[in-house]
Structures are given as C-alpha cells and as structure tokens.
C-alpha cells in the first residue's frame, strides 16, 4: 500500500496535528505529514511541524487581494508537496470553493461536539452551557457549510455531575486525539465509502 501524503491546516496550538504526527511516526497509519499550513504566523502548530522536520508554511488571508487568491496559494503549497488528503486541525476558517474543488472528497475536519449539535466556535462551551448530558467529537468530510459535511467517526463523552467546562473540553480533546488518526487510517486504507450524506466504513 502506498503511503498517503497529508497536508494539515491549523490555526492554533496544534495538539491534533501532534496526534497525527505521532500516529504516523508510530506506524499506526500508512501516512506522513507532508506539509503544515497556518493562517496564523504565531500558531504553535508551526513550531510542532518544525520540531518534527515537516515543512511549515504560513500566510495571512489579509495579505491577499481576495480569498480566492489566498486559497490558490494554499492549493499550490499542497500540490507542490504531493498532498492526497487535507486535514483541518483547529483551522478556524471556512473552506472556500477553490480549495473544496481542488480536493473534492479529500478534506477532513475535527470538531469538538457531536454534530449536528453545536457547530461553529467554542463548541465545548456551547454544549456545557446548554446542559447536555453527553457531548463528544466528530470527524467529518468538509463541504461548503460550517461543520456540516458527512460524518466519518464520532466519540461520545459523558458529562459528569462534578464537571466544569474545562474538564469536559479536556476529555473531549483526548477523544479527538484518538479518533482523528483513526479516521485518517480508514481513508488511507480505502475503507471509507461515501453514499450521499452517509459514510460507510468498509470491512
Ligand atoms: C480542537 O478542539 C478542534 O476540535 C477545534 O479546535 C481545537 C484545536 O485544538 N476545532 C474546531 O472548533 C473547528 N470548528 P488543537 O489546535 O490543539 O488541535
């Protein structure tokens, strides 16, 4: 089986990026992180990439005339690094048409809630404030909506009686670090079949 080249897009601390780097290094998934891109020059994700010897590239959207140009630049970076699968890992921007078309069916995202509940920003806090008894996280394919694409894997995290929003978020993050590498592994092994909104996991 040939190795999958991942392009990871991240805006912040990059703990999900780290879980992907570690899973690749441990041989748990037949993939390698070929390049990391950030829209935030100060993202710690860039430092994590450098420490792992992975090309780390950044560009602010404001540096471009239009979002289309910004995305063309990302597409150029990804194709130059032979990326087969794009993984959004705390990338806090909506993906535009350019990028979606260039990598149709090959962009994944991780979200810290049980979608379709609590899309958007601060999902863990939204769930906590709503008073749910269960939350969790979701890996899904990306479409033009905000956290609306077909669901690949979810993990459920029960809310405890003595919980705080921060403790809940920390337990959700632990599950994120488990299911994102798992979803990438399934993709790399050709085990994800998309039928409408449904993602079937093949044996
Ligand atoms: C993660 O909790 C991820 O699920 C979330 O941002 C955090 C990034 O953390 N993403 C979203 O909310 C996307 N809607 P990380 O930089 O440590 O991976």
């Amino acid at each position: 089986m040939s190795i999958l080249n991942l392009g990871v897009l991240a805006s912040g601390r990059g703990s999900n990026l780290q879980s992907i780097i570690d899973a690749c290094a441990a041989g748990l998934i037949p993939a390698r992180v070929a390049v990391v891109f950030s829209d935030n020059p100060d993202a710690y994700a860039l430092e994590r990439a450098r420490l792992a010897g992975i090309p780390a590239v950044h560009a602010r959207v404001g540096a471009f005339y239009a979002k289309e140009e910004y995305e063309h630049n990302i597409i150029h970076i990804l194709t130059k690094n032979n990326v087969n699968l794009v993984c959004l890992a705390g990338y806090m921007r909506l993906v535009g048409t350019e990028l979606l078309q260039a990598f149709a069916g090959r962009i994944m995202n991780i979200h810290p809630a049980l979608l379709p509940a609590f899309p958007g920003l601060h999902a863990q806090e939204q769930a906590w404030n709503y008073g749910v008894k269960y939350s969790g996280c979701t890996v899904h394919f990306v479409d033009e909506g905000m956290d609306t694409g077909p669901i690949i894997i979810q993990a459920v995290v029960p809310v405890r009686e003595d919980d705080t929003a921060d403790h809940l978020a920390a337990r959700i993050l632990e599950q994120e670090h488990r299911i994102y590498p798992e979803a990438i592994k399934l993709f790399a092994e050709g085990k994800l079949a998309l039928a409408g909104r449904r993602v079937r996991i093949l044996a």
Side-chain angles (χ1 to χ4, degrees):
M1 190 185 301
S2 63
I3 197 143
L4 194 70
N5 281 326
L6 308 175
V8 179
L9 272 48
S11 302
R13 73 189 155 178
S15 73
N16 276 289
L17 163 68
Q18 192 67 55
S19 75
I20 296 168
I21 293 173
D22 293 348
C24 292
L28 298 175
I29 46 183
R32 60 188 273 270
V33 180
V35 64
V36 171
F37 171 84
S38 184
D39 57 331
N40 168 17
D42 301 322
Y44 187 63
L46 291 167
E47 185 61 18
R48 290 184 194 267
R50 288 182 204 113
L51 289 169
I54 297 164
V57 189
H58 61 84
R60 284 195 195 276
V61 67
F64 293 83
Y65 173 68
K67 184 163 176 190
E68 289 76 27
E69 273 188 47
Y70 164 78
E71 290 214 336
H72 275 140
N73 178 52
I74 298 179
I75 294 165
H76 176 70
I77 292 161
L78 296 172
T79 47
K80 205 173 75 181
N81 286 281
N82 302 312
V83 165
N84 316 110
L85 176 68
V86 180
C87 299
L88 310 186
Y91 179 67
M92 297 308 191
R93 288 190 178 279
L94 261 187
V95 173
T97 323
E98 318 290 316
L99 191 49
L100 274 176
Q101 283 178 357
F103 285 88
R106 295 186 294 144
I107 309 180
M108 282 184 189
N109 180 42
I110 179 108
H111 183 73
L114 290 176
L115 290 171
F118 312 117
L121 293 177
H122 312 300
Q124 308 94 324
E125 215 175 298
Q126 288 187 53
W128 171 258
N129 291 338
Y130 197 90
V132 297
K133 298 292 185 189
Y134 293 91
S135 192
C137 47
T138 305
V139 181
H140 63 93
F141 282 117
V142 173
D143 63 10
E144 53 291 328
M146 161 119 58
D147 304 320
T148 52
I151 291 171
I152 301 167
I153 309 188
Q154 294 186 299
V156 176
V157 176
V159 178
R160 294 178 182 158
E161 286 308 320
D162 61 348
D163 242 339
T164 63
D166 285 350
H167 286 155
L168 177 63
R171 294 203 312 289
I172 292 174
L173 191 63
E174 261 176 44
Q175 294 305 311
E176 294 184 42
H177 296 164
R178 182 178 66 79
I179 67 169
Y180 210 175
E182 200 176 317
I184 295 167
K185 179 172 192 271
L186 290 168
F187 184 95
E189 293 172 345
K191 289 187 178 167
L192 298 179
L194 189 60
R197 274 211 59 86
R198 195 165 299 279
V199 179
R200 285 184 51 224
I201 297 181
L202 309 173

